[in-house]
Amino acid sequence: MSAAFYNKFERHAHGEGLKGHSTHYCPGCGHGLAHKFMAQAIQDLNIQDRTIAISPVGCSVFLYYYMDVGNSQAAHGRAPAVALGHKVANPNSIVISYQGDGDLASIGLAEIMQVAQMGIPITVIFVNNAIYGMTGGQMAPTTLIGQKTATTPHGRTNFAGQPLKMAEVMAQLDGPVYVERVALYDNKQRNRAHKAIHKAIQLQVEGKGFAFVEVLAECPTHLKMTPSQAEEWVRDYMTPIFPLGVKKDLTVEPMWDVKSPDFDPKKLTQLVGGTIESVPKFAKTFPSHIAQHDIALKLAGAGGDGAQTAAMLITKAGINEGYDATHIPSYGPESRGGTSYADVHIADTEVLSPASPNPHILIAFNAPSLAKFGPQVQAGGTIIYDSSVITEPPALHNAAKLVGVPFTEIAADLGKTMVKNIVALGALQAATGIYPQDTFLTAIRQALKDKCAMIPLNEEAFSWGMKAFHGR
Amino acid sequence: MPTVKERPKPFVFPEFCKGCGRCIEACPKHCIEIGTEINPATGLIPVVLKLDLCNGCQLCIDACPEPFGLQPQPKELDFELMDPEKMFGEKPTTAPVPYPILDTVIQLPQVDPLVIKGTYASAIGALLAGCRHFFGYPITPSTEGAELMAKLLPDLNGIFVQAVSEVATVNMMYGCSGAGLPCMTFTSSPGFSLMLEGISYMVGAELPAVFVNIMRGGPGLGNIAPEQADIKLACRGLGHGNTHAIVLTPSTPQEMLNLTMLAFELTFKYRNPVVLLGDGYLGQITGKVELPKTMIKPGIPEWAVFGDEMHRRNLICSIFLSEQDLEQHNIHLNDKYASMIEAEQRADLFYCDDADVILIACNTPARMAKGAVEQLRSQGIKAGLFRPITLWPFPIETLKPLLKQAEHLVVVEASAGQLEDEVRLALSNAGIRDYPEISHVQHFGGVLPQQHEIIHTVLSLEEVLS
């Protein structure tokens, strides 16, 4: 007996009585043979310590009773997903996903397809006996046309679906390197099955790729046959529909090379953007002339106007000054082309409510934004809008200050309309004095630290925005 | 001199033969026959070996489906006199007894605060907690977290897998977590629904993993705006069976980072999934985030199925076939839940000490409520905010002493009473019969309760006005 079996099956009803040394399978069941070939291969390849067997749902759910390897028991159909999780957690482990026909070819189709296409070295042993065993003889995805089962009492028809030929499906995919269908009904087939399972595991040991062995197996109990009749049935009825043989066998080089995870604190800090910049502060006090503790802004325009970037710059500038600040973008379908707006808050200690339903300041990049949000601005607030596109601002029945600055025109004169949001920030600074000029410029330079060539243009845009407000 | 390959003849203990007869056809010398006597121990009819013609080809052994069925005859032992129980060794396995490999705490360089989105903060929290394995399926408004992981993990030799579905996601997590490593996902309400079956398996198999659910509007496809309508799922409905998980509710990007790190600590502490509930706003909101002083390099727990010698004897599994075993397992889980309830209740209090009106809110609505409290206080009304940081276990022990002074509780939420249900259930389970009247401010479908509405509701309470 292979050393990859436990000396005693303690998990089988606590190993009491005969169960300590007998499987739970019915007499003549093919699973026991597939288990033996797998166990023998694990021993012969000297990988018992590295092996993780994934038990499926179905009759072979208790694979873990028997295999003296690491064991993980998966939900119905998900064994390949669980196998993938184990394999990427420890790339040196040898992961064998053992599945029946309902598990792999019905409920778990999506998982087997994805993991096969990923092509990473995992071995799948797929036991196809054309029927559901554990639930009591219902139709499997591999049940033959005409075959009677508990849920096809009159025989399977095309309406119940045609038998799914998984080995051929797998061989069609680009991911797998080796696919073979084998059987168990005589000495020759058993020998082939043993070799195929060995090879499928060996390919994983060599780091070469995904391997799939379909084993045509007997279920005498639900076929209502003797074990010997069941063997004949597999030979005479199953193999014409599920032809035996190698379906795919690529010669490949080892491809599995996964490095150990990195826990270098400096590298991680850098990756997440952590720096020490010692950004100077320019503001003497919180701009309480706009609001005592918490200033609400809204920036609105069409997608591409740069409202979100401007909002981020205001937020970043506030945090540089030691205030708390938040930015919520509008998101979803409308942010991919339609209206785009952002709510920004700046608070001396803590931003409480981050939404700006009634902002102190509105920056409107187009007419619909002004029409929509203009009336919501608080009395005494400021509305700054792009007078290049909004030639006739609507009459607003609130006591907000209305400031038109030609963002687009100025930006176009500078040769790049995309800096119109920076023009708007210049106008914002001039119109409200929310932060000193240098606070804005520092935030802009910070944002452009990887595109230094853009800094002069942006500085100019900002300064023109200020001038345009003063020269109105 | 060439050695002759030894080919022992077969033997079988009748108790371990099920009489399937595969060996009969396998034997070219016809040495094996169907038996005629029922074995009293098994009720089956074992085969009978007549080995006079046997040449030790062992084809019968290869044909036998039972591991302890047909065996080659041992050389020295008189197997016919052996107790089959002892024949195959006393110990079930030679695998060693595993011990835990502990986490390492690593100092982080100190840097300026980051200005980042809530989902980014959570992803960075996961990286700092030692997570290098991410599995997920894109769903708005949680995608940015996954995108950041996809960007950063390759540089850290980590693994990012975009699974074929949320169902596949949770099962990949089951595998990775089964290997003992920290892993996580970002999802949003419909995706979380799909993961619930897998979460039940993880609770059953006692596996750690962090699920960040950026809740969106429902039911059905709903919309992608913020809601809090998965509180019921997270607190009461984590799939089938007797399940619970610690549910954390951040309300700022900073807390998204801090509580994600805490989630990893708690998920390993209890060997149980942890759910971090955010809302669509919280996922998208950008704010100031300070990095902690230390990060974690994870070890490997002793129970893991890592795929090495030390962990060979382990099993990850949620099956307990016997009723008594499954009852014991549930009692064990209940004990864990009880210790979570005992040790993990967390809440943040804002002006609660002398409050006549206590607002109860979490996530983004808690920020609206905090704004309302500040404004109400400036009007001379003694309002306070009770903000649960764990929704399960509900921090009832912190709420209890406040109930003496309070005359009103106002639950502020973006759902149709799911938070209020948790409050009422916690009061009831704590045996508190005499509690203040509960009012509420609710919005659904992606609309959040606004500060002025909360103020209006509080001002309309009779006792406050009188």
Side-chain angles (χ1 to χ4, degrees):
Chain A
M1 190 188 69
S2 162
F5 282 118
Y6 290 116
N7 284 331
K8 186 178 177 190
F9 303 148
E10 286 204 321
R11 292 183 183 129
H12 189 189
H14 300 283
E16 283 161 13
L18 293 175
K19 293 188 172 174
H21 294 91
S22 280
T23 68
H24 68 290
Y25 295 113
C26 306
C29 174
H31 275 301
L33 283 169
H35 287 17
K36 273 177 77 173
F37 298 151
M38 176 174 154
Q40 195 60 48
I42 291 168
Q43 180 182 322
D44 293 345
L45 291 164
N46 194 24
I47 51 167
Q48 186 176 8
D49 284 334
R50 293 163 64 192
T51 300
I52 297 171
I54 313 296
S55 305
V57 167
C59 284
S60 47
V61 61
F62 301 123
L63 178 65
Y64 64 86
Y65 284 178
Y66 313 118
M67 291 288 168
D68 187 358
V69 296
N71 281 289
S72 190
Q73 200 289 315
H76 197 20
R78 317 304 168 205
V82 174
L84 174 88
H86 276 287
K87 187 73 184 179
V88 298
N90 177 8
N92 190 46
S93 58
I94 301 299
V95 185
I96 304 172
S97 176
Y98 187 106
Q99 299 183 262
D101 41 37
D103 197 74
L104 183 138
S106 184
I107 194 169
L109 266 177
E111 282 76 10
I112 186 64
M113 295 295 273
Q114 177 178 26
V115 175
Q117 273 302 61
M118 289 171 81
I120 67 173
I122 285 176
T123 307
V124 175
I125 297 173
F126 168 48
V127 176
N128 172 7
N129 56 14
I131 201 147
Y132 277 42
M134 178 153 275
T135 46
Q138 296 83 4
M139 181 186 75
T142 49
T143 292
L144 306 183
I145 294 294
Q147 188 184 336
K148 289 183 179 173
T149 70
T151 48
T152 55
H154 309 293
R156 188 180 194 178
T157 60
N158 285 0
F159 180 71
Q162 304 206 36
L164 198 47
K165 297 166 186 158
M166 284 311 298
E168 283 77 7
V169 170
M170 286 290 119
Q172 285 297 309
L173 300 177
D174 293 321
V177 292
Y178 170 62
V179 180
E180 182 169 356
R181 183 184 286 122
V182 294
L184 304 170
Y185 54 74
D186 62 23
N187 286 335
K188 191 170 137 193
Q189 303 310 328
R190 283 189 286 268
N191 190 26
R192 284 183 178 161
H194 189 157
K195 283 184 175 154
I197 289 173
H198 181 96
K199 178 170 177 173
I201 300 173
Q202 185 173 14
L203 283 165
Q204 182 177 178
V205 175
E206 292 167 355
K208 287 186 174 168
F210 180 90
F212 183 94
V213 178
E214 175 170 342
V215 182
L216 301 187
E218 295 79 11
C219 178
T221 300
H222 291 301
L223 290 173
K224 301 184 176 64
M225 294 176 189
T226 66
S228 158
Q229 288 169 331
E231 287 183 332
E232 284 166 22
W233 187 84
V234 171
R235 183 188 67 210
D236 297 342
Y237 292 92
M238 277 189 87
T239 55
I241 306 297
F242 300 108
L244 302 178
V246 176
K247 308 291 171 182
K248 184 173 187 182
D249 189 6
L250 301 181
T251 307
V252 294
E253 291 302 309
M255 50 72 79
W256 187 237
D257 178 27
V258 180
K259 294 186 183 72
S260 296
D262 188 318
F263 295 97
D264 178 356
K266 258 191 201 156
K267 185 170 176 185
L268 178 55
T269 310
Q270 266 172 13
L271 275 177
V272 303
T275 51
I276 299 181
E277 292 189 67
S278 336
V279 183
K281 292 182 173 49
F282 302 97
K284 291 195 174 67
T285 55
F286 184 77
S288 48
H289 60 279
I290 303 173
Q292 203 175 359
H293 300 295
D294 187 332
I295 301 167
L297 298 94
K298 193 181 279 289
L299 293 89
D305 278 341
Q308 302 301 339
T309 309
M312 271 305 293
L313 287 167
I314 299 168
T315 308
K316 179 83 173 119
I319 289 169
N320 284 348
E321 287 295 348
Y323 312 138
D324 190 22
T326 58
H327 161 215
I328 304 178
S330 65
Y331 58 91
E334 78 267 34
S335 70
R336 286 143 175 92
T339 316
S340 169
Y341 65 89
D343 286 0
V344 174
H345 273 257
I346 304 141
D348 53 356
T349 51
E350 184 190 358
V351 174
L352 301 177
S353 177
S356 307
N358 301 108
H360 300 99
I361 299 169
L362 169 68
I363 301 181
F365 289 90
N366 63 12
S369 300
L370 182 56
K372 185 172 176 189
F373 299 116
Q376 297 167 6
V377 175
Q378 291 195 18
T382 307
I383 299 172
I384 305 163
Y385 67 92
D386 186 351
S387 57
S388 340
V389 294
I390 309 169
T391 44
E392 284 179 44
L396 298 171
H397 300 285
N398 56 6
K401 184 165 74 173
L402 206 53
V403 179
V405 170
F407 308 157
T408 310
E409 223 170 272
I410 295 172
D413 286 348
L414 291 168
K416 272 221 188 288
T417 49
M418 60 182 273
V419 296
K420 66 180 164 186
N421 57 345
I422 306 297
V423 177
L425 290 183
L428 168 70
Q429 198 284 328
T432 65
I434 185 167
Y435 311 129
Q437 187 181 340
D438 284 330
T439 307
F440 277 106
L441 290 173
T442 305
I444 291 169
R445 287 181 203 121
Q446 259 181 321
L448 292 172
K449 66 171 184 270
D450 299 326
K451 300 177 197 163
C452 289
M454 296 294 290
I455 291 175
L457 170 69
N458 280 272
E459 287 177 342
E460 208 175 339
F462 184 83
S463 125
W464 276 107
M466 289 181 67
K467 281 182 215 160
F469 169 79
H470 291 304
R472 277 177 313 149
Chain B
M1 201 177 115
T3 53
V4 180
K5 195 182 169 195
E6 209 169 322
R7 301 214 297 185
K9 294 180 180 183
F11 83 100
V12 67
F13 287 116
E15 295 93 323
F16 299 154
C17 174
K18 290 176 176 169
C20 74
R22 278 185 184 264
C23 52
I24 296 173
E25 288 148 54
C27 178
K29 302 281 183 189
H30 309 291
C31 299
I32 311 176
E33 291 172 7
I34 293 187
T36 50
E37 281 176 46
I38 296 177
N39 182 287
T42 62
L44 298 168
I45 304 173
V47 294
V48 176
L49 309 185
K50 294 183 175 162
L51 301 177
D52 304 340
L53 293 175
C54 176
N55 61 3
C57 74
Q58 303 205 359
L59 287 171
C60 58
I61 295 173
D62 289 344
C64 178
E66 282 293 310
F68 290 96
L70 283 162
Q71 311 279 325
Q73 293 182 6
K75 253 186 286 179
E76 282 143 29
L77 292 171
D78 188 349
F79 57 89
E80 284 179 354
L81 296 175
M82 286 289 293
D83 174 1
E85 278 275 308
K86 293 188 178 138
M87 169 97 192
F88 302 105
E90 294 288 328
K91 277 182 166 180
T93 177
T94 55
V97 178
Y99 54 85
I101 298 167
L102 300 176
D103 292 351
T104 317
V105 179
I106 300 172
Q107 291 294 315
L108 270 182
Q110 290 310 288
V111 293
D112 295 337
L114 306 179
V115 182
I116 47 173
K117 276 177 194 254
T119 41
Y120 284 3
S122 177
I124 292 170
L127 294 173
L128 293 168
C131 173
R132 293 292 180 273
H133 292 84
F134 181 93
F135 307 90
Y137 187 85
I139 178 165
T140 310
S142 75
T143 47
E144 285 89 345
E147 287 167 9
L148 188 67
M149 285 301 218
K151 187 177 161 196
L152 299 184
L153 278 173
D155 285 334
L156 297 166
N157 298 338
I159 298 280
F160 174 91
V161 178
Q162 181 167 324
V164 71
S165 67
E166 281 89 353
V167 176
T169 299
V170 66
N171 286 286
M172 289 172 183
M173 293 168 76
Y174 182 102
C176 182
S177 164
L181 298 193
C183 62
M184 73 160 330
T185 193
F186 282 102
T187 190
S188 180
S189 308
F192 189 65
S193 288
L194 276 173
M195 291 177 178
L196 292 175
E197 184 208 25
I199 293 177
S200 166
Y201 278 77
M202 294 187 91
V203 171
E206 300 191 78
L207 290 180
V210 173
F211 294 83
V212 178
N213 175 6
I214 307 295
M215 296 180 284
R216 63 186 240 185
L221 203 50
N223 64 20
I224 54 174
E227 220 184 39
Q228 292 178 295
D230 299 348
I231 290 175
K232 174 189 69 185
L233 279 187
C235 295
R236 305 287 151 199
L238 291 176
H240 54 284
N242 173 22
T243 58
H244 275 299
I246 294 173
V247 178
L248 299 167
T249 50
S251 76
T252 62
Q254 182 71 58
E255 276 192 344
M256 286 288 276
L257 183 141
N258 297 355
L259 295 185
T260 301
M261 291 192 75
L262 177 66
F264 276 98
E265 185 189 322
L266 295 176
T267 197
F268 275 87
K269 179 176 174 188
Y270 292 102
R271 277 188 71 180
N272 196 68
V274 171
V275 179
L276 191 132
L277 286 183
D279 56 63
Y281 252 43
L282 195 53
Q284 296 294 326
I285 191 169
T286 295
K288 181 161 89 173
V289 176
E290 308 258 9
L291 294 188
K293 292 193 166 61
T294 55
M295 60 175 265
I296 301 293
K297 179 185 179 189
I300 303 176
E302 72 283 6
W303 49 259
V305 174
F306 188 67
D308 61 0
E309 185 189 5
M310 173 150 75
H311 301 93
R312 193 179 94 205
R313 69 164 61 204
N314 289 338
L315 165 68
I316 301 297
C317 178
S318 62
I319 307 175
F320 294 85
L321 207 56
S322 103
E323 295 87 336
Q324 288 73 26
D325 290 351
L326 187 54
E327 183 171 51
Q328 281 310 310
H329 183 56
N330 271 274
I331 290 169
H332 164 68
L333 293 178
N334 287 340
D335 288 345
K336 283 207 308 190
Y337 302 152
S339 56
M340 293 178 207
I341 291 170
E342 171 82 25
E344 306 303 342
Q345 295 183 20
R346 286 172 171 80
D348 178 49
L349 306 188
F350 185 63
Y351 287 117
C352 278
D353 288 347
D354 63 341
D356 296 331
V357 181
I358 294 179
L359 305 180
I360 301 178
C362 60
N363 296 137
T364 302
R367 301 187 70 154
M368 295 19 177
K370 208 167 184 181
V373 166
E374 198 170 61
Q375 208 169 322
L376 286 162
R377 285 271 167 179
S378 72
Q379 296 174 27
I381 291 165
K382 287 184 180 173
L385 170 65
F386 179 83
R387 182 169 69 88
I389 290 174
T390 51
L391 273 190
W392 195 96
F394 191 89
I396 188 68
E397 292 304 322
T398 320
L399 182 61
K400 222 192 265 179
L402 308 175
L403 298 174
K404 290 189 195 88
Q405 166 79 20
E407 286 164 13
H408 278 282
L409 300 178
V410 182
V411 182
V412 179
E413 61 181 311
S415 92
Q418 295 190 8
L419 176 58
E420 188 173 328
D421 285 347
E422 288 307 310
V423 176
R424 289 181 183 274
L425 203 50
L427 289 167
S428 170
N429 287 345
I432 301 166
R433 301 276 174 273
D434 183 25
Y435 53 82
E437 196 181 324
I438 301 178
S439 318
H440 56 241
V441 181
Q442 296 177 353
H443 270 295
F444 337 102
V447 181
L448 292 181
Q450 292 300 319
Q451 196 168 313
H452 63 86
E453 294 175 310
I454 302 167
I455 292 165
H456 179 80
T457 300
V458 171
L459 292 179
S460 66
L461 299 171
E462 273 177 51
E463 291 83 350
V464 176
L465 290 175
S466 61

